[in-house]
């Protein structure tokens, strides 16, 4: 089968290859991939920044059709339309696994990062990770369930966003735009913040229904926040940009006892910021890593009920053969989200 494979740890070293078609083991499910989203993690692996097991088929934002099931699989059947969590295996014994917080298991193996993923004709996952798609959710929309689940985890499971809160989301990439939509669905007033190069993404944020889409290089963000909050500051800030300046700005505009949720990954993780803000305002600093099983049904429900639109984030759909175009366009910020497919183009 065709697959996009990372061959060596150094920058580049990715090839479109023919590799043996996989087969499901006990408790596993084989999915015919219909759509797979390109993520920032894929780009970090491409650049050689994110080290992983090699050789490796990339891709972890997947939707498709069940093609085959392994021994003991009884909750899904061939022909089911599905998406999958990224977890293929965990230790199953640590406190995090026992609480189904697989995102925190030190021995977790994820598709597209530690084991072969979805930039291929077929991918193997485990039955526990499978979610049946609602009838009104198409494959392209469903391929973004994973990044949406990350937003759900941050907004609905880690923070306390509630109706009428003022929420600021830094970074109008896919994760930021999805997080903003989840916050809007919770009833918050939402500001999405970008910079001049994010013009297209900020325009999309407005189309998705956020209250304000702000270019921080042209607009006084602090004045806007203080005006909207009657001088108190934002209730919750989500940092999705992975940028030092966004962290500093985010802490500056938080109200006393506000929540700062770090989602973005910095290339240089040793960020510098004013800790006096944390002490004197009694701020809560929260890390939100990926997603967990409880995030997925909530994410699919938001898509199905049209409270979140994942399809509008997809600005280009390309065959696997054009993976290099997809990666370069994603890295340069030319597109919001690119979806790859093998075989027939999904509708």
């Amino acid at each position: 089968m065709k697959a996009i494979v990372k061959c060596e740890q150094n920058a580049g070293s990715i090839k479109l290859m023919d590799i043996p078609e996989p087969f499901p083991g006990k408790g596993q499910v084989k999915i015919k991939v219909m759509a797979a989203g390109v993520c920032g993690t894929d780009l970090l692996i491409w650049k050689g920044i994110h080290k992983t097991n090699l050789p490796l088929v990339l891709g972890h934002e997947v939707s498709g059709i069940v093609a085959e099931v392994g021994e003991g699989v009884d909750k899904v059947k061939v022909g089911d339309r599905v998406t999958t969590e990224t977890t293929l295996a965990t230790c199953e014994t640590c406190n995090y696994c026992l609480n189904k917080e697989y995102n925190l298991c030190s021995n977790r193996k994820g598709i597209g990062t530690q084991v072969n993923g979805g930039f291929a004709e077929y991918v193997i996952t485990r039955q526990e990770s499978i979610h049946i798609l609602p009838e009104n959710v198409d494959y392209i929309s469903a391929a973004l369930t994973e990044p949406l689940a990350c937003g759900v985890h941050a907004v609905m499971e880690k923070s306390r966003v509630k109706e009428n809160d003022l929420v600021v989301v830094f970074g109008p990439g896919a994760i930021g735009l999805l997080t903003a939509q989840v916050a809007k669905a919770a009833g918050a007033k939402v500001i999405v913040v970008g910079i001049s190069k994010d013009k297209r993404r900020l325009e999309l944020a407005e189309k998705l229904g956020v209250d304000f889409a702000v270019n921080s290089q042209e607009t006084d963000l602090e004045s806007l926040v203080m005006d909207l909050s009657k001088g108190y500051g934002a209730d919750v800030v989500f940092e999705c940009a992975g940028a030092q300046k966004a962290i500093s700005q985010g802490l500056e505009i938080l109200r006393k006892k506000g929540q700062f949720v770090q989602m973005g990954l910095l290339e240089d993780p040793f960020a510098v910021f004013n800790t006096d803000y944390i002490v004197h305002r009694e701020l809560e600093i929260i890390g939100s890593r990926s997603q967990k099983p409880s995030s997925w049904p909530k994410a699919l429900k938001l898509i199905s009920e049209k409270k979140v639109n994942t399809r509008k984030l997809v600005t280009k759909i390309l065959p696997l053969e054009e993976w290099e175009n997809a990666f370069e366009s994603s890295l340069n910020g030319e597109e919001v989200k690119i979806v790859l497919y093998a075989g027939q183009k999904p509708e």
Side-chain angles (χ1 to χ4, degrees):
M1 68 171 185
K2 292 184 293 185
I4 298 169
V5 183
K6 174 75 172 178
C7 302
E8 297 177 10
Q9 295 287 10
N10 55 292
S13 300
I14 290 182
K15 299 177 182 178
L16 179 67
M17 303 173 63
D18 281 315
I19 64 173
E21 191 173 307
F23 295 94
K26 185 176 181 180
Q28 294 183 335
V29 177
K30 177 180 176 179
I31 298 173
K32 175 177 173 56
V33 178
M34 299 299 292
V38 177
C39 171
T41 301
D42 300 313
L43 302 180
L44 290 175
I45 294 173
W46 180 42
K47 292 167 69 177
I49 294 171
H50 188 100
K51 307 300 181 185
T52 186
N53 301 326
L54 299 177
L56 179 76
V57 178
L58 303 186
H60 59 272
E61 301 177 358
V62 175
S63 67
I65 305 168
V66 174
E68 188 178 348
V69 298
E71 180 187 347
V73 173
D74 55 5
K75 295 179 182 177
V76 296
K77 63 184 184 303
V78 172
D80 282 345
R81 300 171 62 252
V82 298
T83 184
T84 177
E85 297 172 29
T86 57
T87 300
L88 179 70
T90 69
C91 73
E92 301 183 2
T93 58
C94 70
N95 289 340
Y96 307 112
C97 284
L98 295 177
N99 288 324
K100 294 190 180 296
E101 296 175 314
Y102 302 130
N103 57 323
L104 300 178
C105 174
S106 298
N107 295 299
R108 174 186 172 278
K109 293 182 179 179
I111 63 171
T113 49
Q114 288 84 33
V115 294
N116 284 342
F119 289 160
E121 295 180 65
Y122 296 94
V123 65
I124 298 295
T125 187
R126 62 178 185 173
Q127 177 176 234
E128 185 180 349
S129 292
I130 289 283
H131 294 272
I132 305 293
L133 299 184
E135 289 184 6
N136 66 338
V137 176
D138 62 86
Y139 291 117
I140 295 173
S141 297
L144 272 65
T145 308
E146 192 275 340
L148 175 56
C150 294
V152 165
H153 181 54
V155 176
M156 301 175 70
E157 298 175 339
K158 296 295 293 182
S159 70
R160 293 189 301 272
V161 174
K162 59 185 183 301
E163 192 170 358
N164 297 321
D165 273 356
L166 179 59
V167 169
V168 179
V169 178
F170 284 88
I175 291 291
L177 293 175
L178 291 169
T179 299
Q181 289 187 77
V182 178
K184 280 297 296 180
K189 181 175 289 186
V190 178
I191 302 172
V192 171
V193 183
I195 56 178
S196 296
K197 72 179 184 67
D198 297 319
K199 183 177 185 292
R200 182 183 183 188
R201 298 180 178 197
L202 291 171
E203 290 172 351
L204 177 57
E206 290 181 334
K207 292 177 182 177
L208 291 169
V210 306
D211 298 279
F212 299 90
V214 172
N215 178 344
S216 62
Q217 293 176 318
E218 297 178 353
T219 300
D220 187 336
L221 177 62
E222 184 174 1
S223 293
L224 175 63
V225 168
M226 293 307 166
D227 182 55
L228 293 171
S229 64
K230 297 181 180 179
Y232 283 95
D235 296 287
V236 187
V237 167
F238 294 93
E239 201 290 318
C240 304
Q244 166 75 63
K245 188 170 183 179
I247 295 172
S248 299
Q249 277 190 306
L251 292 172
E252 287 172 6
I253 61 174
L254 263 179
R255 68 166 175 83
K256 293 174 182 177
K257 300 183 72 173
Q259 293 184 307
F260 181 92
V261 184
Q262 183 65 36
M263 299 174 68
L265 297 175
L266 284 72
E267 288 197 14
D268 179 3
F270 295 96
V272 178
F273 50 84
N274 189 341
T275 56
D276 280 358
Y277 291 137
I278 300 171
V279 176
H280 296 310
R281 297 184 194 170
E282 294 192 352
L283 303 181
E284 291 184 55
I285 310 299
I286 299 168
S288 184
R289 182 185 190 277
S290 190
Q291 30 64 37
K292 58 183 185 178
S294 60
S295 315
W296 287 73
K298 299 170 189 173
L300 284 171
K301 185 178 180 182
L302 286 169
I303 301 173
S304 179
E305 293 180 350
K306 303 188 185 304
K307 293 180 179 178
V308 170
N309 191 324
T310 56
R311 181 69 184 248
K312 275 191 177 179
L313 271 66
V314 179
T315 50
K316 187 175 283 187
I317 304 169
L318 295 172
L320 284 181
E321 289 82 357
E322 295 188 39
W323 71 267
E324 196 165 6
N325 177 2
F327 278 37
E328 288 177 350
S329 296
S330 298
L331 186 63
N332 295 335
E334 296 171 11
E335 307 294 336
V336 179
K337 174 64 73 170
I338 298 178
V339 165
L340 297 174
Y341 66 91
Q344 184 175 353
K345 185 176 180 178
E347 297 296 328

